[in-house]
Amino acid sequence: MKKKKEKQVRENRVREKRDGTRILLFTGKGGVGKTSVSAATAVRAAEMGLGTLVVSTDAAHSLADSFDRPIGPEPVLIDKNLWGQEIDVNEQIAKNWGPIHNFFMKFLRKRGFDAIIADELAILPGMEEVFSLLEIRDHALDERFDLIVIDCAPTGDTARLLAIPDIARWYMERIFKIERAVVKRIRPMAERLLDTPLPTDDVYEAMEKLFYRIMEIKELLVDRERTSIRMVLNPEKMVIKEAQRAYTFLSLFDFGIDAVVVNRLLPDEITDPYYGKWREIQAEHLETIRRSFEPLPIMTSRLWDQEIVGCSLLSQLAAEIYQDRNPADVFFHGRPVSITPDNGRYVLELPVPFADRSELETWIHGDELVVRYKNYKRNLILPRSLANLELVKAELTGKSLRLTFGGQDHVEEA
Ligand SMILES: Nc1ncnc2c1ncn2[C@@H]1O[C@H](COP(=O)(O)OP(=O)(O)OP(=O)(O)O)[C@@H](O)[C@H]1O
Ligand SMILES: [Mg+2]
């Protein structure tokens, strides 16, 4: 009887998980085709019957251009099963930031800033990202949509966006409670002495609520069955370099990357010799992309002879990319690279298809890690935190290569 009940609970849990809103995030360098690929993915999912929302977190929205129709700060119906939204920071501020914003305003006014400047300054850098996250959290939790496709701002901002929950957690655990307790004690005297308002309890309460909501998002985002990040790139040197960097950065934060989309490949029907050299260059870059991101699936789309605007063309773009696959599937389940802190060192683990240590070579060139084994070559751009450390150990353990970074002997000291 007990066993049966346990099985039921387990099945319910699996069902809950499967039924939860799926989230896809598209990231990449400026101009590579993120908005087009996000919109195409959403169109395709909606055609397959999934209630889909495509939302842009980039302040310079271009979803409306991609669909060639106005899209507002609330989800608007674009087509059957398909909604679009361009998040408006000002609206989000009014919704989430009320007491905190008022406090900052009061504080800045008291310091002599005029009302308009105080209003501008009370919006802190990074808040656009924070509010985008909150909106996505709300949508994911109310389960109105089966799928949320997020068209992100260019890579750097996406990295910032995804780091926010960790920063919030750090602040809440290390600073917030102490600061709140101290301010409570010293407020009556300090306000008189400093002639400056200090945050009151309702401000702290609003902040606490906000931080907890942000922290919840991390759980949604690192759940690999729910959230996948897809990297969009073009076969160009600078674009690849940025994607490689993003790849290790995202792995450091343990986000699930499940595919790479290479957009703007020269199509086979172009035989003009003018493009011959370009074709060679692209083939080389495609090889680098394979070496950098395998075993992630790599999907491609060609350079079109026109702009890709409107549902019908977007649907064709999605057919090229996904062929007969469902874009909402998780295309890769494992961790292609994992980076874990270990007593002051970092351990980078890569699954590798070989077991013989003798022909393995690893070296670091600038911020690039190269692993070579016979014909196999793998390039990874290291995140800054690792590139500055020495590679102290390289071991093969079963099916993976374990690289330990960190010059100091923290392990022995601990
Ligand atoms: N495969 C393609 N062939 C031809 N044109 C394309 C292709 N992919 C995208 N485009 C066009 O390139 C332009 C830029 O694409 P898009 O807006 O999707 O890039 P983005 O990465 O979102 O840019 P941003 O970083 O500015 O947000 C658009 O006009 C789009 O129609
Ligand atoms: Mg865009």
Side-chain angles (χ1 to χ4, degrees):
M1 189 65 195
K2 196 167 165 238
K3 269 211 166 123
K4 203 169 164 192
K5 203 167 164 199
E6 272 173 13
K7 188 164 171 253
Q8 186 65 47
V9 170
R10 224 174 25 240
E11 276 173 6
N12 282 348
R13 240 186 254 142
V14 171
R15 197 167 306 128
E16 263 169 38
K17 210 168 180 146
R18 196 174 47 221
D19 289 347
T21 306
R22 176 99 167 91
I23 302 173
L24 295 177
L25 244 131
F26 287 88
T27 179
K29 196 169 170 18
V32 291
K34 297 176 294 296
T35 303
S36 309
V37 175
S38 308
T41 304
V43 167
R44 172 79 163 183
E47 283 168 358
M48 292 181 108
L50 295 172
T52 304
L53 171 73
V54 53
V55 43
S56 137
T57 65
D58 186 352
H61 298 295
S62 54
L63 270 182
D65 296 330
S66 193
F67 284 103
D68 196 23
R69 52 152 299 152
I71 288 176
E74 293 299 323
V76 291
L77 187 68
I78 298 175
D79 209 338
K80 193 178 169 210
N81 297 329
L82 180 63
W83 286 261
Q85 179 181 15
E86 294 184 331
I87 291 174
D88 177 341
V89 181
N90 290 326
E91 238 178 63
Q92 295 297 322
I93 287 171
K95 209 158 100 183
N96 295 294
W97 194 238
I100 309 168
H101 188 248
N102 290 343
F103 165 72
F104 272 119
M105 286 281 290
K106 220 160 77 187
F107 178 83
L108 291 166
R109 294 291 304 274
K110 192 86 187 171
R111 305 244 118 183
F113 289 93
D114 81 43
I116 294 174
I117 293 179
D119 198 28
E120 283 290 317
L121 290 178
I123 299 172
L124 305 176
M127 274 178 42
E128 277 160 17
E129 284 92 349
V130 171
F131 292 127
S132 304
L133 281 180
L134 289 177
E135 187 71 1
I136 291 157
R137 169 202 171 272
D138 292 351
H139 285 316
L141 295 184
D142 76 15
E143 301 202 351
R144 175 175 158 201
F145 305 102
D146 301 311
L147 172 69
I148 301 174
V149 178
I150 306 167
D151 169 25
C152 289
T155 329
D157 292 345
T158 312
R160 233 178 36 193
L161 174 88
L162 295 173
I164 285 169
D166 284 292
I167 296 166
R169 176 178 296 275
W170 180 87
Y171 177 74
M172 277 310 283
E173 285 170 359
R174 305 275 163 86
I175 313 266
F176 181 82
K177 288 199 178 78
I178 302 170
E179 184 187 304
R180 186 174 183 174
V182 170
V183 166
K184 199 171 179 153
R185 283 236 190 108
I186 65 166
R187 180 180 302 111
M189 198 174 66
E191 279 188 337
R192 234 177 309 125
L193 282 177
L194 302 171
D195 191 27
T196 245
L198 288 173
T200 44
D201 245 14
D202 63 325
V203 174
Y204 279 116
E205 245 157 58
M207 282 174 87
E208 190 165 19
K209 242 178 35 212
L210 188 68
F211 280 126
Y212 278 115
R213 289 174 66 207
I214 293 170
M215 275 148 51
E216 271 173 15
I217 298 166
K218 172 90 190 203
E219 276 160 47
L220 290 178
L221 295 182
V222 294
D223 176 351
R224 283 153 192 266
E225 295 304 305
R226 187 192 275 270
T227 303
S228 303
I229 299 180
R230 292 188 185 156
M231 304 219 277
V232 184
L233 36 89
N234 300 146
E236 289 167 27
K237 197 171 182 159
M238 310 282 270
V239 174
I240 298 170
K241 185 104 178 167
E242 187 162 317
Q244 287 174 313
R245 205 180 297 281
Y247 181 47
T248 32
F249 177 88
L250 294 169
S251 304
L252 187 63
F253 281 86
D254 205 25
F255 293 108
I257 305 158
D258 83 336
V260 173
V261 180
V262 185
N263 185 31
R264 291 207 183 96
L265 275 178
L266 281 174
D268 290 338
E269 49 283 16
I270 297 184
T271 49
D272 190 328
Y274 185 83
Y275 290 103
K277 184 83 189 150
W278 269 117
R279 198 184 295 285
E280 276 172 36
I281 294 171
Q282 286 205 346
E284 238 170 70
H285 286 323
L286 201 55
E287 190 43 40
T288 308
I289 293 168
R290 293 225 159 83
R291 277 207 310 262
S292 308
F293 301 104
E294 68 181 358
L296 289 179
I298 291 165
M299 300 182 285
T300 57
S301 48
R302 78 197 147 94
L303 172 70
W304 284 39
D305 58 0
Q306 59 176 317
E307 282 185 314
I308 308 166
V309 174
C311 283
S312 161
L313 295 183
L314 289 168
S315 170
Q316 289 176 41
L317 173 63
E320 265 181 42
I321 297 172
Y322 296 105
Q323 299 184 8
D324 51 6
R325 286 187 276 199
N326 179 347
D329 284 348
V330 182
F331 293 137
F332 186 80
H333 290 272
R335 282 178 169 74
V337 188
S338 75
I339 302 169
T340 29
D342 176 19
N343 257 335
R345 296 180 171 193
Y346 284 96
V347 177
L348 186 149
E349 210 156 340
L350 268 178
V352 285
F354 46 81
D356 178 8
R357 178 79 178 80
S358 62
E359 288 190 65
L360 170 71
E361 287 176 88
T362 49
W363 70 93
I364 295 174
H365 178 68
D367 58 356
E368 191 167 13
L369 168 74
V370 188
V371 177
R372 183 146 66 193
Y373 180 81
K374 293 183 183 164
N375 295 330
Y376 173 98
K377 192 170 169 218
R378 188 76 205 257
N379 307 57
L380 271 182
I381 301 287
L382 296 167
R384 214 172 332 159
S385 49
L386 262 69
N388 293 333
L389 299 176
E390 203 183 323
L391 173 61
V392 290
K393 212 175 354 170
E395 326 154 73
L396 278 170
T397 57
K399 288 199 173 76
S400 70
L401 172 66
R402 257 175 81 92
L403 300 172
T404 307
F405 291 82
Q408 306 300 314
D409 271 350
H410 293 283
V411 179
E412 278 73 18
E413 276 167 24

